[in-house]
Amino acid sequence: MSATLRRARSVTSARRYAVYDVFADQVLAGNPLAIVFDADGLDDGAMQKIAKEFNLSETVFVLPPEAPGHAAAMRIFTPGRELPFAGHPTVGTAVALSDGGQPTDLSILVLEQKIGLVRCAVSREGDAAFAEFDLPRLPERLDCEVDKASFAAALGLGAHEIGFENHVPQLWTAGVPYVTVPVAGLDASARARCDGALWAEIAPQVDGIIADAYVYCRETVGHDCAFHARMFAPYLGIPEDPATGSAAAAFAGAIHHFDQPGAGSHRYWIEQGIEMGRPSRIRLEIDVEGGAITAARIGGHAVKVAEGTLFA
């Protein structure tokens, strides 16, 4: 190693990092997530630059918790901006922190996020780890006046391909806003392409944030899945995301609104990332009482695919 490189490294911090594939039970599938441990001393600008360096859909920075008994505080950055909450970073970080402790069949963790406290449970069967978390905010429907023809144009589809049964486009958020866009089936889903410039013109904004496109249909590839989905977020620097827990959280509202499940607990598997060659499976559970969602949970597997040292 040259003297120049040694001097450069001596004035930076060496921080552990790992990359996990989330919402998949094998490597090189699901949604990759970078996790930077021991992130003390990094300011907002440094975190944003590091997230851009990893260039994954999200990068997590793990910090000491503010409250005793909590596992960690975490901040979540896309290549373009910080998020208050996201699903695959929550699942991946919960599994990673559990990996760092004593192996147990079940671990309960509380993570501090910008949106609030997120309670997670991590369970293990052999080498596979599965994490599930309670939604910190239940889905809320917001006003959306854009017609389906405009959404169809932005997605490269015909207006007749938007919607199925009683499902129509709506705007939902459970911390991050999404336009949930139902399409006729797998063929329409496979042909969808998001025109970032056009989407930015027509998509609604929530607190200054452009809502991303969550395209879904009831036709699926996996026989045990209830929905097939794709998510496009050009505004965040993410042309397409292979698995999106925050979108599934918002989508819980659309499922309840259109399908009107009865009282009790309802489980749905959502497949995503298939068109990208990154097959993912997200488990969504919704508790319904008195015609309303009273609680919901997102779950999925996560596996470590890489680890190393970040000099920043």
Side-chain angles (χ1 to χ4, degrees):
M1 183 184 297
S2 70
T4 300
L5 183 54
R6 284 197 297 271
R7 285 195 299 271
R9 289 189 174 180
S10 69
V11 297
T12 62
S13 296
R15 305 176 192 275
R16 295 181 303 116
Y17 77 86
V19 176
Y20 278 73
D21 285 338
V22 184
F23 292 126
D25 59 4
Q26 57 184 330
V27 299
L28 307 182
N31 198 349
L33 171 73
I35 305 171
V36 178
F37 302 98
D38 310 317
D40 269 347
L42 293 174
D43 60 18
D44 294 7
M47 291 182 186
Q48 188 64 75
K49 288 180 180 179
I50 292 168
K52 192 171 183 179
E53 180 80 8
F54 278 114
N55 200 32
L56 300 176
S57 58
E58 278 111 355
T59 296
V60 166
F61 297 88
V62 177
L63 299 158
E66 293 185 2
H70 294 170
M74 54 182 284
R75 296 181 66 182
I76 306 165
F77 284 78
T78 74
R81 68 177 177 87
E82 185 174 10
L83 296 177
F85 160 72
H88 104 275
T90 301
V91 167
T93 302
V95 170
L97 294 175
S98 176
D99 282 348
Q102 294 297 319
T104 60
D105 292 337
L106 179 65
S107 303
I108 305 296
L109 309 174
V110 177
L111 300 175
E112 299 172 357
Q113 298 188 20
K114 285 292 184 80
I115 198 172
L117 301 180
V118 182
R119 180 180 177 274
C120 309
V122 180
S123 57
R124 296 178 180 277
E125 287 188 15
D127 294 333
F130 185 95
E132 182 178 61
F133 64 89
D134 299 320
L135 294 194
R137 184 180 301 175
L138 293 178
E140 175 187 4
R141 183 185 173 191
L142 305 175
D143 291 335
C144 180
E145 298 179 355
V146 180
D147 60 45
K148 69 178 185 179
S150 297
F151 285 131
L155 292 170
L157 299 174
H160 67 285
E161 296 178 290
I162 303 298
F164 63 83
E165 302 163 7
N166 63 334
H167 288 239
V168 296
Q170 290 186 335
L171 175 61
W172 289 89
T173 182
V176 180
Y178 294 92
V179 179
T180 55
V181 184
V183 296
L186 287 174
D187 178 67
S189 175
R191 288 185 286 105
R193 299 291 185 273
C194 188
D195 182 323
L198 183 53
W199 185 263
E201 290 181 10
I202 67 169
Q205 294 190 24
V206 179
D207 298 328
I209 299 172
I210 297 176
D212 297 315
Y214 188 71
V215 175
Y216 70 95
C217 61
R218 206 183 293 278
E219 186 181 5
T220 62
V221 175
H223 66 88
D224 61 339
C225 291
F227 295 96
H228 179 94
R230 299 179 71 184
M231 198 285 280
F232 304 97
Y235 173 70
L236 297 178
I238 305 169
E240 183 172 358
D241 199 37
T244 320
S246 60
F251 181 49
I255 294 174
H256 178 260
H257 177 82
F258 292 117
D259 291 353
Q260 299 182 352
S265 182
H266 304 270
R267 176 177 292 182
Y268 307 88
W269 283 98
I270 301 170
E271 61 185 25
Q272 191 178 335
I274 292 174
E275 289 85 354
M276 301 177 68
R278 303 280 310 193
S280 308
R281 287 166 51 87
I282 299 172
R283 192 174 79 184
L284 169 65
E285 293 183 341
I286 304 173
D287 296 340
V288 177
E289 293 294 339
I293 298 177
T294 57
R297 294 164 296 281
I298 297 287
H301 290 90
V303 290
K304 186 192 293 186
V305 67
E307 60 185 1
T309 303
L310 175 69
F311 297 101

